Amino acid sequence: MSITDRRLRQKEEVRVLILDAAWEMVVTEGWQSFSIRKVADAIEYSVPVIYTHFENKDAILLEFNRKGFRLLAECLEEAKIGKDNPAAQIDAMAHAYWNFAFSNYQYYQLMFGLGMPTCETARKIPEMAGFKDAISSSIEALTPADRKDSVDPFLKYQSFWSMLHGLVSINMLGKPDNQHGGLAEMVLKDVICSFIKGIVS
Amino acid sequence: MSITDRRLRQKEEVRVLILDAAWEMVVTEGWQSFSIRKVADAIEYSVPVIYTHFENKDAILLEFNRKGFRLLAECLEEAKIGKDNPAAQIDAMAHAYWNFAFSNYQYYQLMFGLGMPTCETARKIPEMAGFKDAISSSIEALTPADRKDSVDPFLKYQSFWSMLHGLVSINMLGKPDNQHGGLAEMVLKDVICSFIKGIVS
DNA sequence: GTAGCTTTGCTAACGCTGTTACAAAAAATA
DNA sequence: TATTTTTTGTAACAGCGTTAGCAAAGCTAC
């Protein structure tokens, strides 16, 4: 069956062609402006050909999503190499995660659904001030007098917000409501506790 | 000038009509399927009328974004009422944040750009296993023998991931690269430190 | 009350998008 | 060479954001 063999090989080649062109597009223009039609144009095939390889547009994005997680896992594993102290491993992985996110910006966006229209401007929204004030004031009040030098309130505000936003986002991946059998609640408590401890002592 | 007065009033009414219809749509169908044309249809006006009130589609979403932050700030302030202990305030705000996110799901999505096509399925991606294993194994190794009962590795894995994802997301709101003058790096270190402390002691 | 001007609103189009039914062309089989 | 299978392209459907140009209504002044 060498004929069907070649056919499979050729079909695979087109599949790779599609993925390459799509990825090129995601990297240069962002996933928002990636379209089936543009991919078809780039690989010099007609549009329906793409639908013989992928069920729909989302299936192509899903492919990148999975690859993103594979890459991230690799980065984390690599970061651990040569470090047998678990605390050092966790430290290394955290930095690896951070570096992955920013040096693979497009992957990270796809993996966690960042990059909405309003997202870019979210930082400039004046309404955020009230939010920041509410948190910052309590953090400053919490800081013991003898630690005012070593605790930066703005830094702690960022930590606080980041932790909460991460927690919420992760829990929203999948389900809109928070019926997760109390686990999320325990994580929340755990995170708050760590945060407060980090300031007072 | 009672005529132009009425005109302004009527124009404002249409504006409210637009926002109400748009929000109704976002709540019932999600922001992904909200469209100018459907709003025009709902309020029984033609499409260009909407463009006399809002510059474009994003401007309408931005409106909700801002309102979302106003609501969130209110929630946080309200949570602090009657609590003069700063640690209790922070605890209350964290829970208020959490509750806001899940009882105002659509606002939270808009505010932080959640809800990409691939987002719903992100939890089901098998490639995530490698990622989880890399982290969990180090956490288990870090846990002292006498604390194995009180430290749930899965819970800590969720905390770790949440913190990092939050940190990255917040820093990506605005800029793709991480040239933030070292502040983000300090927050990262701060968060890792708190996390490790929370496990070993 | 009518003429002219201003404001408002609608129709219809442009150029996109994802997706698919159907026909043509090419390739493999008989 | 004729037939069948596979592959590919054309063209359409239904939707989207956005805008140019025109008709209608409302207001002002005579």
Side-chain angles (χ1 to χ4, degrees):
Chain A
M1 287 293 154
S2 122
I3 283 174
T4 53
D5 238 36
R6 172 182 53 76
R7 277 191 164 161
L8 279 175
R9 205 169 54 243
Q10 285 181 336
K11 200 168 175 91
E12 179 62 25
E13 274 168 24
V14 174
R15 195 190 140 91
V16 171
L17 226 56
I18 292 171
L19 287 174
D20 284 356
W23 186 244
E24 171 74 17
M25 212 158 283
V26 168
V27 169
T28 56
E29 302 174 57
W31 65 264
Q32 297 91 339
S33 80
F34 144 76
S35 85
I36 298 272
R37 292 174 120 98
K38 280 195 264 185
V39 170
D41 205 57
I43 64 172
E44 293 174 310
Y45 274 89
S46 70
V47 172
V49 170
I50 293 175
Y51 285 89
T52 64
H53 292 86
F54 298 94
E55 201 189 336
N56 52 29
K57 187 184 179 179
D58 286 358
I60 299 176
L61 291 177
L62 189 64
E63 205 77 6
F64 297 137
N65 207 324
R66 296 158 70 114
K67 194 175 175 191
F69 271 105
R70 274 200 302 277
L71 286 175
L72 177 54
E74 279 171 29
C75 281
L76 296 193
E77 287 296 349
E78 201 173 338
K80 286 165 85 169
I81 292 172
K83 299 189 176 62
D84 45 0
N85 175 10
Q89 284 178 0
I90 286 175
D91 185 67
M93 280 192 297
H95 282 91
Y97 185 102
W98 179 268
N99 289 332
F100 172 85
F102 285 99
S103 58
N104 297 86
Y105 179 57
Q106 304 296 351
Y107 274 118
Y108 199 84
Q109 274 204 138
L110 284 169
M111 286 159 70
F112 299 109
L114 287 168
M116 265 217 348
T118 49
C119 208
E120 293 95 65
T121 51
R123 265 182 174 265
K124 297 158 205 153
I125 291 175
E127 276 80 359
M128 262 186 61
F131 164 74
K132 176 174 175 286
D133 291 345
I135 296 169
S136 297
S137 59
S138 286
I139 290 174
E140 285 195 63
L142 177 67
T143 314
D146 60 330
R147 300 206 72 225
K148 293 265 186 208
D149 294 339
S150 58
V151 174
D152 179 354
F154 183 66
L155 189 144
K156 289 292 179 184
Y157 152 70
Q158 285 244 334
S159 301
F160 185 75
W161 182 22
S162 294
M163 290 183 337
L164 282 171
H165 174 55
L167 208 53
V168 170
S169 307
I170 299 300
N171 277 281
M172 275 188 179
L173 293 179
K175 318 179 186 181
D177 48 0
N178 64 340
Q179 311 299 324
H180 300 90
L183 175 71
E185 182 72 23
M186 289 170 70
V187 177
L188 176 62
K189 284 208 170 83
D190 182 54
V191 160
I192 300 168
C193 187
S194 297
F195 179 75
I196 293 177
K197 258 197 226 167
I199 292 179
V200 295
S201 64
Chain B
M1 285 296 154
S2 122
I3 283 174
T4 52
D5 237 35
R6 173 183 53 77
R7 276 191 166 163
L8 279 175
R9 205 169 55 243
Q10 286 181 337
K11 200 167 173 94
E12 179 61 26
E13 273 168 25
V14 174
R15 195 189 140 91
V16 171
L17 228 55
I18 292 171
L19 287 173
D20 284 357
W23 186 243
E24 171 74 18
M25 212 160 282
V26 168
V27 169
T28 56
E29 302 174 55
W31 64 265
Q32 298 91 340
S33 80
F34 145 76
S35 85
I36 299 272
R37 291 174 122 99
K38 279 196 266 185
V39 170
D41 205 58
I43 64 171
E44 294 175 309
Y45 274 89
S46 71
V47 171
V49 170
I50 293 174
Y51 285 88
T52 65
H53 292 86
F54 299 95
E55 202 189 336
N56 52 29
K57 186 184 178 179
D58 286 358
I60 299 177
L61 291 176
L62 189 65
E63 205 76 6
F64 297 137
N65 208 326
R66 296 158 69 114
K67 194 176 175 190
F69 271 104
R70 273 201 302 278
L71 286 175
L72 177 55
E74 279 172 28
C75 281
L76 296 194
E77 287 296 351
E78 200 173 338
K80 286 164 85 169
I81 292 172
K83 299 189 175 61
D84 47 358
N85 174 12
Q89 283 178 1
I90 286 174
D91 184 67
M93 280 193 296
H95 281 91
Y97 186 103
W98 179 268
N99 289 332
F100 172 86
F102 286 99
S103 59
N104 297 85
Y105 179 57
Q106 304 296 351
Y107 274 118
Y108 198 84
Q109 273 203 139
L110 284 169
M111 287 159 72
F112 298 109
L114 287 167
M116 266 213 350
T118 50
C119 208
E120 293 96 61
T121 51
R123 267 183 173 263
K124 298 160 203 150
I125 291 176
E127 274 80 358
M128 263 185 61
F131 164 74
K132 176 174 175 284
D133 291 345
I135 296 169
S136 297
S137 59
S138 286
I139 290 174
E140 284 194 62
L142 178 67
T143 313
D146 61 328
R147 300 205 72 227
K148 292 267 186 209
D149 295 338
S150 58
V151 175
D152 180 353
F154 182 66
L155 188 145
K156 288 292 179 185
Y157 151 70
Q158 284 243 335
S159 300
F160 186 75
W161 181 22
S162 294
M163 289 181 340
L164 282 171
H165 174 55
L167 208 55
V168 169
S169 308
I170 299 300
N171 277 282
M172 277 187 177
L173 292 180
K175 317 178 187 182
D177 49 358
N178 64 340
Q179 310 301 324
H180 300 90
L183 175 71
E185 180 73 22
M186 289 169 70
V187 177
L188 176 62
K189 285 209 170 82
D190 183 54
V191 159
I192 299 168
C193 187
S194 296
F195 179 75
I196 292 177
K197 258 197 225 167
I199 292 179
V200 295
S201 63

